[in-house]
Amino acid sequence: MGFKCISQTELKIKSGPNYIGVPLRFLEEIKQETEYKTTGIEISKSTDQISEISIVNNESLEFLFDHQMNLKSAEGYGTISIVNNSYKDRIWDARIEILGSNIENETNLRIFEPRTNKNIRYSIEALDDLQNPLVIHERIEILNEEIKSYKDIEQISGIDHYDSILEDGEKRYLLLFGKENLVKFTIIIENNSNSTIKNINLQKEISKHFYDIECISDSQADIKTKGNILKIELPELNPGQKRNVDITAKIFPEKKERIRTGAYNITYNIENSVISETEIINFSAYSHAKHLINVEEKETQPNHWDCSFLFANHSDFTMYLKSILITDESKSENYVDLDLTTENNKIILSPGETFTTQKWEVFNENEPKFVRKISYSLDYSIEKGTDVSIKVEDDIFEIIGFQFEKDISQKEIKSFEESELYNKIIIRNTGDVAIKGVVINEIIPEDFKPPLEISQFKLKKASGEQKLENVDLKITPPNDEPSTEHTLELILNLKENQVTQLIGINELLEISYPIKAISPDYNKAYEFPLEISCYYLKNKNQEKKEEVDYYVVRHRLSDMQKPTLKVSHKRRNLAIAKEIYPGRYDDEFAICVTVKNKSTIEIKNISITDTIPITFELISSNIKNKVTKSNKENEYVISFSVESVLPFQEKEIMYYLKNKSGKDVSFSELESYFIG
């Protein structure tokens, strides 16, 4: 027991002003008496100031999650603080019993001086198994019309349709390169506990690349922006209540660089609850109290004694009695046996209050003596609270994009004639994500035949020609009848269980295939609409999975990009004339062959053949010629070749002959041998 300085006034009690003993308050004027209904005991009450023993159990937890909400690290500890709030009274033999922590079940805290406290710190174990009372989830959506999920488009021909997001899949966030993207961040906060969660503070980082940032909450949240940090405060969240915070922002990727989705932190408090299973089972302590047994011999009955038990609370604390047992010296007879631990029998004494039992009578020639055992403790209050801090790491946005072009091997073909053309399509990957597969859709107009065999297609990369593996071809209708329009659909690298990527980062793919023109009409305008669909894996680790989800980006060939194909209606109109002139001598002749192109098209590779009687020899010619023996006797053959004559152009061939025999030869003889 402790000692303290007591004034003379404090030593006064009801039985006499100068009684020296355990300190009691002077309660003569303010004492009130009430009868204890079940036992007839008396409790005298006081209005003295009450101090208390307060026990505060507070837990602090910190969690770190990756962007998929997988727990990376967790740290938690708790503090149990026992505080003596009295300004003058000590407490002693203080003991606390704790369940569920990694400390001893019962701890002896010994003595507390006035206005002091003692702390018990414990670590929280098995944090992975704890249920987080606040469930947090961030959903990121790219609100771009050009990026479609596989489930939003028609099923690819010949490819099974999968649309399950795998549990172990790591979702991709894709931005279109060189275009404005609208991104929506939705942070969902839900109270999954039975307690009210208060002081919810959310901080979300927004990359400096974003602009036109807007934040909307479905509750009266306080939203503030500081730099690239968005701060959102929610006063409280009741059990089962959910709140959404929507953030929209625009971004225009101009470079292939790492743009982060933005980490976020959230802190909150839980009142009157701890997350761990730590529980304070009991606290007991003692302070200034007095208990005594009054024995008074009856006036008219010698050796008959009226006895009563008194318990007085002399401290600033509220006390409660647990049990009172009073027996004779031999412990064979119980005079008072009170169990005060049940709720109905509980006796609580405020500072200055006393408790008196009902009297019992004893016959004894001497002053009676008793054995007594008293159990009591100080009342206390328990406060609980939990402070939680959660940090969620961010992910990255990946840049996707592709460019493509188309070329036709011939820019002009003749009307109503067969021509074979070669389509060449080049697709370049301009993003930083590999293209998993490609679907080419092209309309082949009437008067043209589409290719029906996969072997007619060629795939080429910078490394060389590629094997025609994992390629599907569909022609609709399934024939090459030129009288009807056809749809060509070429599917590359999208078969089930195909793990390779089709077009890597910074790679290009060239696809070429033939198209045959069958009697094209120059009065028609022929177009070959082309659409390219590039498929990207929705989840980062899906390459080896049987079920695969895709993001799909489709681009159509614009009018500016379409190659021109001209069908020309051109017919050749060629006139070849021959004139014979006398030479310088009677035995010489000058022959002029005129080639005139009277059409609107260029005429090429014109061959002209003339015959020369064997009696003549060639003297000269203005163009290259060739003289050979004829199959017929008595003549030679002279041949000329004109490479090209442009529309409405005229070319002359002049050559000179001389009679070797000296005989006369008529003009008609020379004319009859001309072929042109």
Side-chain angles (χ1 to χ4, degrees):
M1 296 180 61
F3 298 90
K4 61 180 179 180
C5 183
I6 304 297
S7 66
Q8 188 72 16
T9 303
E10 289 177 304
L11 292 175
K12 294 179 181 179
I13 60 172
K14 183 177 180 181
S15 59
N18 296 315
Y19 180 81
I20 304 299
V22 179
L24 289 173
R25 301 289 186 274
F26 185 70
L27 306 174
E28 185 68 28
E29 297 178 356
I30 60 175
K31 186 183 298 182
Q32 298 176 356
E33 294 185 357
T34 59
E35 183 178 355
Y36 194 79
K37 295 180 180 179
T38 58
T39 62
I41 60 178
E42 295 179 352
I43 299 177
S44 63
K45 293 189 176 180
S46 169
T47 59
D48 281 10
Q49 181 179 358
I50 300 176
S51 298
E52 67 173 5
I53 303 296
S54 59
I55 302 175
V56 180
N57 184 11
N58 191 76
E59 292 185 345
S60 296
L61 297 99
E62 294 182 359
F63 297 95
L64 175 62
F65 294 90
D66 66 12
H67 56 272
Q68 288 185 279
M69 293 306 296
N70 297 316
L71 184 63
K72 293 185 67 176
S73 65
E75 181 179 356
Y77 65 89
T79 302
I80 299 175
S81 181
I82 303 97
V83 183
N84 178 1
N85 290 303
S86 174
Y87 281 91
K88 64 182 186 64
D89 287 338
R90 297 195 304 168
I91 63 174
W92 54 86
D93 198 17
R95 297 175 183 271
I96 188 168
E97 186 178 353
I98 303 170
L99 180 65
S101 67
N102 57 352
I103 60 177
E104 296 181 4
N105 288 344
E106 185 175 83
T107 302
N108 189 345
L109 302 172
R110 303 183 185 279
I111 298 174
F112 282 72
E113 296 295 332
R115 303 297 294 175
T116 61
N117 69 285
K118 294 184 179 182
N119 296 325
I120 300 173
R121 185 182 174 99
Y122 60 91
S123 60
I124 302 174
E125 299 177 346
L127 288 172
D128 295 358
D129 300 330
L130 291 180
Q131 183 179 7
N132 201 322
L134 197 67
V135 178
I136 309 166
H137 174 66
E138 182 181 35
R139 183 173 64 242
I140 300 176
E141 301 171 87
I142 314 299
L143 304 180
N144 194 320
E145 289 297 325
E146 294 187 54
I147 302 179
K148 296 290 186 181
S149 179
Y150 188 21
K151 65 182 178 181
D152 297 329
I153 64 172
E154 296 178 0
Q155 182 175 338
I156 304 175
S157 302
I159 305 296
D160 292 333
H161 182 194
Y162 295 115
D163 188 47
S164 59
I165 296 180
L166 304 178
E167 292 182 359
D168 57 350
E170 189 175 350
K171 187 176 180 181
R172 276 193 161 109
Y173 304 112
L174 305 181
L175 299 175
L176 277 176
F177 179 68
K179 295 191 177 183
E180 186 177 74
N181 297 261
L182 179 62
V183 181
K184 181 180 180 182
F185 305 87
T186 301
I187 300 177
I188 303 167
I189 306 171
E190 182 177 4
N191 185 349
N192 198 33
S193 71
N194 296 322
S195 304
T196 298
I197 297 177
K198 296 188 175 182
N199 303 320
I200 303 170
N201 292 288
L202 171 67
Q203 291 191 5
K204 167 71 176 177
E205 296 179 9
I206 304 294
S207 171
K208 63 180 181 180
H209 297 86
F210 285 93
Y211 56 92
D212 291 350
I213 302 171
E214 295 182 2
C215 183
I216 301 173
S217 174
D218 59 0
S219 63
Q220 294 181 347
D222 185 14
I223 302 173
K224 298 177 182 178
T225 303
K226 185 177 181 181
N228 65 329
I229 302 294
L230 201 64
K231 296 183 178 181
I232 302 163
E233 297 180 2
L234 294 171
E236 65 179 23
L237 207 58
N238 294 321
Q241 199 171 17
K242 181 190 294 185
R243 287 287 178 262
N244 288 1
V245 178
D246 293 328
I247 304 167
T248 58
K250 295 178 181 178
I251 186 170
F252 194 102
E254 296 180 296
K255 299 178 181 178
K256 289 193 289 185
E257 57 184 318
R258 295 174 68 89
I259 301 173
R260 307 205 68 85
T261 60
Y264 60 93
N265 301 328
I266 190 165
T267 60
Y268 60 89
N269 311 120
I270 305 175
E271 295 182 355
N272 303 319
S273 178
V274 291
I275 290 183
S276 73
E277 297 180 353
T278 301
E279 184 178 356
I280 299 170
I281 302 299
N282 186 47
F283 174 81
S284 62
Y286 300 94
S287 189
H288 300 289
K290 182 184 80 169
H291 53 86
L292 58 88
I293 296 177
N294 288 317
V295 292
E296 183 178 357
E297 190 175 14
K298 292 186 177 183
E299 293 288 340
T300 59
Q301 294 179 291
N303 300 325
H304 287 266
W305 302 83
D306 284 331
C307 307
S308 64
F309 171 81
L310 179 142
F311 183 93
N313 180 0
H314 290 175
S315 72
D316 284 345
F317 308 106
T318 299
M319 294 183 179
Y320 63 94
L321 293 172
K322 296 180 179 180
S323 64
I324 303 173
L325 177 62
I326 301 175
T327 68
D328 60 5
E329 287 186 278
S330 64
K331 299 182 181 180
S332 60
E333 183 178 357
N334 294 344
Y335 297 110
V336 177
D337 187 3
L338 296 178
D339 181 6
L340 305 175
T341 57
T342 62
E343 191 67 29
N344 293 332
N345 294 333
K346 186 177 290 187
I347 294 178
I348 299 175
L349 301 177
S350 298
E353 287 186 341
T354 61
F355 166 77
T356 305
T357 64
Q358 192 176 18
K359 293 181 180 180
W360 68 90
E361 185 177 335
V362 176
F363 176 80
N364 198 318
E365 293 180 355
N366 300 316
E367 292 182 2
K369 296 181 180 180
F370 302 96
V371 175
R372 51 184 153 171
K373 184 177 181 181
I374 313 301
S375 177
Y376 75 96
S377 185
L378 305 183
D379 198 12
Y380 58 92
S381 65
I382 297 178
E383 296 180 16
K384 296 180 180 180
T386 303
D387 300 322
V388 181
S389 174
I390 297 174
K391 181 176 181 179
V392 182
E393 295 178 335
D394 56 2
D395 200 356
I396 60 170
F397 290 104
E398 296 178 281
I399 308 299
I400 61 170
F402 66 92
Q403 296 175 346
F404 70 101
E405 58 188 60
K406 176 183 174 180
D407 192 20
I408 300 178
S409 59
Q410 297 186 44
K411 306 299 181 185
E412 183 177 358
I413 59 175
K414 296 178 182 180
S415 61
F416 306 109
E417 291 186 17
E418 286 192 10
S419 301
E420 189 170 60
L421 312 174
Y422 276 89
N423 267 356
K424 183 170 72 174
I425 299 170
I426 298 176
I427 303 172
R428 292 181 176 85
N429 186 354
T430 58
D432 57 11
V433 178
I435 298 173
K436 176 64 172 64
V438 170
V439 175
I440 297 173
N441 284 279
E442 185 174 25
I443 303 298
I444 309 297
E446 61 181 7
D447 301 328
F448 288 82
K449 281 186 175 184
L452 297 180
E453 302 295 333
I454 292 179
S455 59
Q456 295 177 270
F457 290 79
K458 291 184 179 181
L459 305 181
K460 187 185 294 184
K461 290 185 179 180
S463 58
E465 191 168 334
Q466 306 295 301
K467 292 182 179 180
L468 292 172
E469 297 176 342
N470 194 17
V471 177
D472 284 315
L473 174 65
K474 183 178 181 181
I475 303 295
T476 307
N479 57 54
D480 61 352
E481 176 59 47
S483 61
T484 185
E485 179 182 273
H486 292 81
T487 299
L488 181 150
E489 185 177 48
L490 186 67
I491 304 164
L492 305 175
N493 208 54
L494 288 174
K495 284 185 177 179
E496 185 179 344
N497 298 326
Q498 184 64 31
V499 299
T500 59
Q501 304 285 359
L502 181 63
I503 309 176
I505 300 171
N506 297 323
E507 279 190 347
L508 63 83
L509 177 67
E510 179 183 304
I511 306 105
S512 60
Y513 51 93
I515 297 176
K516 184 173 287 188
I518 306 295
S519 188
D521 190 342
Y522 69 95
N523 292 311
K524 296 179 182 179
Y526 294 101
E527 291 189 351
F528 298 81
L530 177 65
E531 180 182 76
I532 303 293
S533 300
C534 287
Y535 286 69
Y536 301 87
L537 289 175
K538 181 178 288 187
N539 295 333
K540 295 179 182 179
N541 55 349
Q542 280 188 314
E543 288 89 346
K544 298 183 180 180
K545 302 296 181 181
E546 292 184 358
E547 298 184 359
V548 180
D549 291 333
Y550 297 105
Y551 286 120
V552 184
V553 179
R554 285 180 167 176
H555 288 166
R556 288 184 173 87
L557 197 66
S558 67
D559 292 338
M560 295 290 293
Q561 296 173 309
K562 290 178 182 177
T564 58
L565 177 63
K566 184 178 180 181
V567 180
S568 60
H569 185 66
K570 298 178 180 180
R571 292 296 178 263
R572 290 165 291 184
N573 188 351
L574 184 66
I576 301 177
K578 178 179 178 181
E579 293 182 77
I580 302 175
Y581 302 97
R584 293 168 295 178
Y585 305 100
D586 292 341
D587 58 351
E588 291 182 358
F589 294 91
I591 300 174
C592 177
V593 178
T594 303
V595 180
K596 185 175 183 180
N597 183 357
K598 301 171 69 176
S599 66
T600 58
I601 62 173
E602 180 184 8
I603 301 176
K604 297 180 179 181
N605 302 321
I606 303 170
S607 178
I608 299 172
T609 302
D610 200 359
T611 56
I612 304 172
I614 196 170
T615 57
F616 283 83
E617 62 180 347
L618 179 66
I619 299 175
S620 63
S621 172
N622 66 339
I623 67 172
K624 188 177 180 180
N625 62 81
K626 184 177 181 182
V627 179
T628 59
K629 283 188 177 183
S630 173
N631 294 329
K632 297 180 181 181
E633 295 182 0
N634 302 322
E635 65 181 18
Y636 291 103
V637 175
I638 184 170
S639 301
F640 303 94
S641 179
V642 180
E643 290 185 3
S644 172
V645 182
L646 298 176
F648 306 106
Q649 187 182 29
E650 185 177 287
K651 287 190 176 182
E652 286 187 350
I653 302 172
M654 294 289 295
Y655 64 95
Y656 295 89
L657 299 177
K658 182 178 180 180
N659 186 359
K660 294 188 295 183
S661 62
K663 295 181 180 181
D664 294 334
V665 178
S666 65
F667 286 170
S668 60
E669 185 180 359
L670 293 174
E671 290 279 5
S672 61
Y673 294 103
F674 177 73
I675 300 175

